[in-house]
Amino acid sequence: MALLRERAAAQGGPVVDLSIGAPVDPTPEVVRRALGVHADWPGYPLTTGTRALREAQLGWLARRHGVVGVTGLDAAAVLPVPGTKEVIGSLPLHLGLTPDDVVALPRLAYPTYAVGAAVVGARIERVDDLADLQALEAAGVVPRLLWLNSPSNPTGRVQPAAALAALVAWCRARGTLVVSDECYLDLGWEATPVSVLHPDVSGGDPAGLLAVHSLSKRSNLAGYRIGFVTGDPALVADLTSIRRNLGLGVAGPQQGAAVAALEDEDHVTAQRARYAARRAVLLPALRHAGFRVEHSEAGLYLWATRDEPATVTLDALVGLGIVAISGAEYGPEGAAHVRFALTAPDADVALAARRLADAPAPRSPEESA
């Protein structure tokens, strides 16, 4: 990425970097005030976090995402974590997976799922739906762990409740643990994402299920490192015991800030409006420039292709002073796609749109021959 940025800068104008999904907008004032209120915290924070935090996390899931009436899903079945990337990468290790196990993850996926499998030497299989799992089983393979990610990074794809429920039923019948990365759950545009713990998916039973949530995208708190895991009470208890002995926990002042963030929806509404406005500028500009935007019905990215190798597309973008990321970073099937992030400032997104509008039309395959 550094080389692409250098080449884009050589074009002579400001570089528009749409490659990274890190928040750039201000941390909400309500959160910053709460951080100050809770700044006097001389003791060690508990791995389990405060009860107020765990109840706020469950309350948000119930209020915003309909996770209600799930047996055993109470404050004891919630584990706050210092950011979700670490817990995603360490989960196979902490759950006791070995090189004899198989970890299934989406064909196009956040790379840290594969990193976690590599930590324990587990074999990776890529699956997107029930048919893929059935094909694996027909070949004699049953995963120990299945990663779900809806809305998806990088594609923005949203899986409907019925499809998720079918995956859950298959996994439960075979003892496969389902872990759902739901950090974009608040960012549906053309579809409504649903949690794996929602009764329509879980049947009101969290057994064999874990959901991973982050405040980084919802509340611009990437720098605060706040997330949580919830679901199967026995699995959460096991993770809590392991992580307690490793000294892993969320810093006390950040816990107070997280409660304030989870209990306030005004800042979420305002942030959604920012992302929606950027999406409304960038999406038609990409289409005008010859891109086909696929999925992208939720999340912070536009998943696009011009039916050419991503390296060719990235070169063309660099010529416009725009940096994006190759879809190949997320799996071999992304080799003809690029991912554009909506997390750049408004002015940068507007500049990218103007440059795309002024760009020459891409050459057809016949012209390139």
Side-chain angles (χ1 to χ4, degrees):
M1 295 308 300
L3 180 58
L4 286 178
R5 293 185 187 101
E6 290 175 6
R7 290 175 53 204
Q11 303 305 311
V15 175
V16 177
D17 192 342
L18 303 179
S19 68
I20 300 176
V24 297
D25 300 304
T27 298
E29 179 62 30
V30 65
V31 176
R32 286 182 279 169
R33 287 198 304 267
L35 184 69
V37 168
H38 294 276
D40 185 12
W41 198 297
Y44 293 109
L46 297 176
T47 296
T48 56
T50 65
R51 186 175 184 87
L53 175 56
R54 287 180 277 123
E55 289 180 344
Q57 289 164 336
L58 279 183
W60 166 75
L61 271 178
R63 184 177 66 254
R64 295 296 300 168
H65 297 291
V67 179
V68 294
V70 180
T71 303
L73 197 64
D74 56 22
V78 183
L79 175 61
V81 295
T84 55
K85 185 169 188 176
E86 174 273 321
V87 79
I88 288 170
S90 65
L91 195 64
L93 176 65
H94 291 172
L95 291 174
L97 272 67
T98 73
D100 294 328
D101 291 316
V102 172
V103 174
L105 50 99
R107 296 182 187 279
L108 293 163
Y110 182 48
T112 307
Y113 306 147
V115 170
V119 166
V120 298
R123 176 176 146 199
I124 292 171
E125 294 286 351
R126 293 189 178 262
V127 302
D128 277 341
D129 51 31
L130 183 59
D132 288 338
L133 283 174
Q134 291 169 335
L136 269 186
E137 186 178 29
V141 177
V142 174
R144 174 86 181 279
L145 185 156
L146 170 69
W147 279 105
L148 299 178
N149 182 212
S150 176
S152 161
N153 174 17
T155 70
R157 177 191 179 200
V158 173
Q159 295 201 55
L164 292 173
L167 290 169
V168 166
W170 188 95
C171 289
R172 280 179 168 163
R174 291 153 183 83
T176 299
L177 169 64
V178 177
V179 186
S180 182
D181 176 4
E182 301 178 355
C183 72
Y184 299 98
L185 204 62
D186 274 320
L187 295 167
W189 309 117
E190 299 167 1
T192 301
V194 61
S195 172
V196 74
L197 295 173
H198 190 283
D200 288 351
V201 178
S202 69
D205 180 2
L209 307 178
L210 290 174
V212 179
H213 288 276
S214 170
L215 274 69
S216 295
K217 306 323 194 271
R218 172 191 182 274
S219 299
N220 296 335
L221 292 183
Y224 280 49
R225 311 313 301 135
I226 297 286
F228 67 98
V229 179
T230 187
D232 187 318
L235 290 171
V236 172
D238 287 346
L239 286 173
T240 301
S241 177
I242 292 166
R243 294 174 68 83
R244 180 184 290 118
N245 286 303
L246 291 172
L248 296 172
V250 177
Q254 277 91 321
Q255 292 188 45
V259 172
L262 288 161
E263 293 180 346
D264 178 75
E265 292 298 329
D266 290 344
H267 77 274
V268 180
T269 300
Q271 188 59 45
R272 275 182 54 86
R274 293 186 189 105
Y275 287 137
R278 291 168 189 161
R279 187 176 185 272
V281 170
L282 189 58
L283 179 59
L286 289 172
R287 288 172 173 160
H288 175 81
F291 286 90
R292 185 175 71 255
V293 178
E294 298 177 349
H295 300 302
S296 305
E297 60 258 32
L300 289 181
Y301 313 106
L302 295 176
W303 181 246
T305 182
R306 295 202 302 196
D307 296 312
E308 62 190 10
T311 52
V312 174
T313 306
L314 293 175
D315 283 345
L317 290 168
V318 162
L320 300 174
I322 299 171
V323 178
I325 190 166
S326 169
E329 297 290 331
Y330 303 92
E333 293 191 9
H337 289 73
V338 292
R339 192 197 74 171
F340 297 88
L342 301 175
T343 50
D346 293 351
D348 285 10
V349 172
L351 178 56
R354 291 197 298 273
R355 289 175 175 175
L356 288 165
D358 294 338
R363 298 173 68 189
S364 69
E366 293 76 13
E367 292 173 324
S368 301

